[in-house]
Amino acid sequence: MAKKLLIIDTDCGIDDAQAIMMALAAPGVQILGITCCFGNTAVDNVCQNVLRVLAVCEQQQIPVFRGAAVSLVGGKQAPNDHFGGDGFGDMLEGRDPQWKEKIQKEHAVDAMIRLVNENQKQVSLVGLGPLTNLALALRLDPQFPQKLNELFIMGGNMEGKGNVTLCGEFNFVMDPESAYVVLEEFLCPTHIATWEYCCRHKLTWEFFNELINQDTPAARLMKLITSRCWSYSKEAMMNKRDVYFGPGFVSYDSYAMAAFIDRAVVTENVECPVRVELQGSICRGMMALDQTNALRKSHRVFVMNNCDLAKFRNLLTESLRQPLNK
């Protein structure tokens, strides 16, 4: 059976790394390239983090492309230290001083367009960060979305609960205009793992400890980069910051990747039009679900609602049994 072709667009922090490892471990997936975007950290750090993951998993043949360093409209984004200043818990051990030489010269957006044009209707795109590169690809090639097979996104929300603002999820808040453009103009089949979906299906800290204590290079990297990270602290996650969903371990971007790898991981979707709000100090960046067809939009997306946690746990476990011979 032919492998599913994939482009990963990422702002590589710790959960992105986990999602990338999940795709690397999936026997039915061929990664054509990884495109980098600002978000969890500056885009140069993102590039280095991706290279570090590929090196540990012995998959350095996969090309990595540098993309957007700022949002579509520009302006200053709020600093983010959710995964440390470098996105990897500020654990510098293992960084490659020659990393710039290993990044492709082609811009990420140009590469994205080229790879999809070369494999029309065969490539799926998984977006794990702000959607700036995707919006730019659309503006350069208005036919780009219809040449895709499917789009999977980790971002947005479905209940108006935010994690960086009152109503906004991080990836969409970092570039609301790009999120708006993508969800208005990408008419390919689109699947969204929202912040609330991920949080509702969090895993136990006991499972997390088993996961990172596997005796493999990938697991050792995850143990290292989570060791000083607030987001992977059991004690911190049990405080009032987790008032909505209760304590537990969440690898946000992995939920979108798992849905791409195995559709059966998602057991229920809400299928409806959506729109990203661009106005206001409270709701800017919020994704609204239109379940009454008030917007009169023809395009409907699949918003993930329920998850098979046994299948998801298995994909996470397999992702850290690397390097693998695919």
Side-chain angles (χ1 to χ4, degrees), residues 197 201 255 258 264-268 305-312:
Y197 168 78
H201 297 96
Y255 292 85
V265 169
V266 182
T267 58
E268 181 186 14
N305 200 36
N306 279 315
C307 174
D308 185 325
L309 282 178
K311 292 181 183 298
F312 182 64

Side-chain angles (χ1 to χ4, degrees), residues 175-190:
D175 193 347
E177 281 75 19
S178 286
Y180 179 92
V181 165
V182 168
L183 291 179
E184 292 296 315
E185 300 184 44
F186 274 61
L187 303 183
C188 57
T190 300

Side-chain angles (χ1 to χ4, degrees), residues 78-94:
N80 175 57
D81 61 356
H82 195 63
F83 297 130
D86 69 347
F88 264 18
D90 297 314
M91 300 299 294
L92 302 180
E93 178 184 333

